[in-house]
Amino acid sequence: MKPLLEARALTKHYEQGRISVAAVEGISFSLRPGEVALIIGPSGSGKSTLLSMLGCILRPTSGAILLAGREISALSDRDLPRIRRRCFGFVFQSFHLFPFLTARENVETALRLRKVPAASRRRRSIDLLEDCGLEERMEFYPASLSGGEKQRVAIARALAGDPFILLADEPTASLDSANGELIFKMLRSFAKAKGKAVVMASHDPKARGFADSVYNLVDGRIAALDA
Ligand SMILES: Nc1ncnc2c1ncn2[C@@H]1O[C@H](COP(=O)(O)OP(=O)(O)OP(=O)(O)O)[C@@H](O)[C@H]1O
Ligand SMILES: [Mg+2]
């Protein structure tokens, strides 16, 4: 089966004054349709950097990213946002919710960007928030939500745009075990729909049970898995 997403010899070096941080050092892998890939590894090993590059939020220093066989890492700053919006959904490690929008409005932003009519936006946002167990929190602002609730709003928002690939950075870090499992199940069932896939970075020991492949990052490289 043709890969949905492919990384070829990706590197990212951050330049900080006179210091160059080699965050990602030559990573190649491919993601099949239907696959849930899990990235594990110690703090600072490059997981968030890799996810940001895969989703075209961050330009690689070198290497290539191919989406359905087409190189997207070489697209111009003008063309890239369209591909990013249409093809990728993100759950960021620090949520990035809009503070002056309610939970429902935060989810709706993803649909507004895709020009979904108002009534369908509202219906779909409510459905997704219900799926995430937030039926009682629709009209709350982020400041009044717990960390785990904010995380679930961020997940509902990422799913709302119906992306091809969902990139999730520590999607269960603020969740208790029951809600963590609910989210892993949602991500897995998302990936199993036609032409979709998930890449998630997670420290959660339960994540492996929901993944088809596991990549262990150490110092920006893929290392062998400990048994
Ligand atoms: N904007 C930046 N400028 C300079 N260095 C950075 C920047 N972002 C990340 N780094 C460095 O790159 C390395 C990889 O960071 P990254 O956030 O990808 O790690 P991570 O595996 O996601 O860690 P964690 O598990 O703590 O989230 C770290 O050493 C970090 O300090
Ligand atoms: Mg990280």
Side-chain angles (χ1 to χ4, degrees):
M1 204 185 293
K2 207 166 92 176
L4 186 56
L5 189 69
E6 228 184 313
R8 292 188 185 157
L10 272 190
T11 69
K12 180 69 192 179
H13 294 180
Y14 292 109
E15 306 303 330
Q16 279 281 58
R18 266 192 269 159
I19 304 173
S20 174
V21 180
V24 167
E25 280 274 58
I27 288 188
S28 299
F29 82 97
S30 62
L31 184 71
R32 299 181 313 276
E35 184 172 351
V36 177
L38 169 65
I39 305 173
I40 58 170
S43 179
S45 58
K47 303 181 296 297
S48 297
T49 302
L50 176 61
L51 284 179
S52 302
M53 288 195 288
L54 291 178
C56 310
I57 288 180
L58 191 66
R59 291 245 183 221
T61 304
S62 63
I65 299 164
L66 288 82
L67 178 67
R70 177 184 177 203
E71 186 174 350
I72 52 172
S73 42
L75 289 176
S76 68
D77 287 347
R78 213 173 54 101
D79 295 332
L80 207 54
R82 197 166 35 85
I83 298 288
R84 185 162 57 210
R85 217 168 32 237
R86 191 183 314 151
C87 303
F88 294 97
F90 284 94
V91 180
F92 295 99
Q93 201 164 3
S94 45
F95 319 137
H96 292 324
L97 295 180
F98 298 107
F100 302 113
L101 298 179
T102 65
R104 178 180 51 75
E105 289 163 344
N106 262 282
V107 177
E108 284 196 28
T109 54
L111 298 164
R112 196 182 281 267
L113 279 172
R114 290 165 178 85
K115 308 206 173 8
V116 173
S120 328
R121 280 204 308 258
R122 195 182 171 91
R123 186 67 256 155
R124 180 148 168 78
S125 304
I126 291 172
D127 287 348
L128 278 162
L129 287 165
E130 281 175 0
D131 291 347
C132 293
L134 290 171
E135 50 280 355
E136 308 289 333
R137 296 289 180 271
M138 305 271 172
E139 303 306 327
F140 280 46
Y141 289 91
S144 314
L145 295 170
S146 74
E149 288 165 348
K150 283 196 274 247
Q151 187 150 42
R152 284 180 281 157
V153 175
I155 290 165
R157 185 178 60 182
L159 292 170
D162 199 29
F164 293 114
I165 299 169
L166 188 85
L167 302 166
D169 202 351
E170 303 286 355
T172 63
S174 311
L175 298 178
D176 57 68
S177 155
N179 275 308
E181 224 170 296
L182 171 95
I183 293 304
F184 284 138
K185 280 190 186 140
M186 279 178 77
L187 296 184
R188 193 161 173 87
S189 78
F190 166 84
K192 298 303 165 187
K194 195 167 186 303
K196 312 274 183 184
V198 169
V199 185
M200 59 182 177
S202 181
H203 284 111
D204 190 329
K206 277 223 262 320
R208 277 198 195 202
F210 294 87
D212 301 302
S213 49
V214 184
Y215 298 93
N216 182 24
L217 279 202
V218 177
D219 293 336
R221 297 173 198 274
I222 295 175
L225 279 175
D226 319 323

